[in-house]
Amino acid sequence: MPDTFARRLLHLLTTFPPAPALPDGVQAYNPYQEPAVAALLTQFAQKFYTDNQPRVALLGINPGRFGAGRTGVAFTDPAALSEHCHIPNDQPRHPELSSQFVYQVIAELGGPAEFYRHFYLGSLYPLVLLRDGKNYNYYDSPALQRALEPEIRVALRRQITELGLARHAAVCLGRRNGLLFEKLNQELALFDKIIVLDHPRYLMQYKRRELAEHVARYADVLLEVKMER
């Protein structure tokens, strides 16, 4: 495969190292090493990322088991992968609220082909975290965040250097996520600025009455960031 954004992304995710021993009964797993998930991620990357354009990063917390855990694509559940990205799949359908919001934003910006030409959806930490079989966030436990902070540093550096991301700005999805992202950005000088937005799941759960306004806000921010390159 030629040296493209697609090849580099596939290499990064499929080879990302296992997590260290984690506290509080939390387990981590790499979904991109599962054959069905890796096949879908490969189709996605070869459809949308076969160039070397420096993309603006939109980084969430860590992937969930029903989104990237099944498709390999951040903020993309199996239904969105099929309906919006036109990549058929037999993965179990479990509606994922963040995915629904993100693909409304993507539609506002011209659809997946146009969106993924300019943007990269990812996570501060790319492995799925589970506790008692349920999704868990790296910041849900102070001990877990301390244990994973070195790994998150590695993940951020690798995404920037290996993928060739745009450095003028990055978009952080989630206010609590932004606390660590901004701290690490100050320490490591990764991006010129970080723009922090409310997390898609939060907006879908608690701000649904103003959903159109929040979709428009996201779209406006992303258009502005794209034009700044």
Side-chain angles (χ1 to χ4, degrees), residues 1-43:
M1 182 185 294
D3 183 26
T4 60
F5 195 97
R7 186 200 66 78
R8 297 192 297 272
L9 177 63
L10 290 167
H11 179 264
L12 187 156
L13 294 179
T14 57
T15 64
F16 197 82
L22 298 177
D24 300 327
V26 178
Q27 297 179 317
Y29 77 92
N30 186 333
Y32 322 104
Q33 294 177 348
E34 298 178 8
V37 176
L40 292 175
L41 174 60
T42 299
Q43 289 182 62

Side-chain angles (χ1 to χ4, degrees), residues 78-94:
L81 189 67
S82 176
E83 294 166 16
H84 300 291
C85 300
H86 304 296
I87 297 177
N89 63 88
D90 296 325
Q91 295 286 62
R93 267 33 176 188
H94 185 286

Side-chain angles (χ1 to χ4, degrees), residues 69-84:
R70 286 183 173 164
T71 65
V73 183
F75 293 95
T76 305
D77 62 19
L81 189 67
S82 176
E83 294 166 16
H84 300 291

Side-chain angles (χ1 to χ4, degrees), residues 38-56:
L40 292 175
L41 174 60
T42 299
Q43 289 182 62
F44 176 88
Q46 292 178 345
K47 183 169 187 175
F48 295 111
Y49 286 154
T50 54
D51 57 41
N52 281 299
Q53 172 126 331
R55 289 166 167 83
V56 176

Side-chain angles (χ1 to χ4, degrees), residues 7 20 24 43 52 109 116 129 140 185-186 206 220 223:
R7 186 200 66 78
D24 300 327
Q43 289 182 62
N52 281 299
L109 294 172
Y116 287 114
L129 300 176
D140 284 340
N185 194 56
Q186 289 177 0
Y206 301 109
D220 287 346
L223 282 172

Side-chain angles (χ1 to χ4, degrees), residues 196-210:
V196 181
L197 297 174
D198 288 318
H199 196 276
R201 175 172 286 277
Y202 168 80
L203 294 174
M204 291 291 282
Q205 284 184 312
Y206 301 109
K207 301 290 183 179
R208 195 181 284 260
R209 288 185 179 180
E210 302 91 32

Side-chain angles (χ1 to χ4, degrees), residues 119-134:
F119 299 101
Y120 158 69
L121 278 171
S123 305
L124 259 64
Y125 186 65
L127 302 189
V128 173
L129 300 176
L130 298 176
R131 184 180 183 187
D132 298 327
K134 298 179 180 180

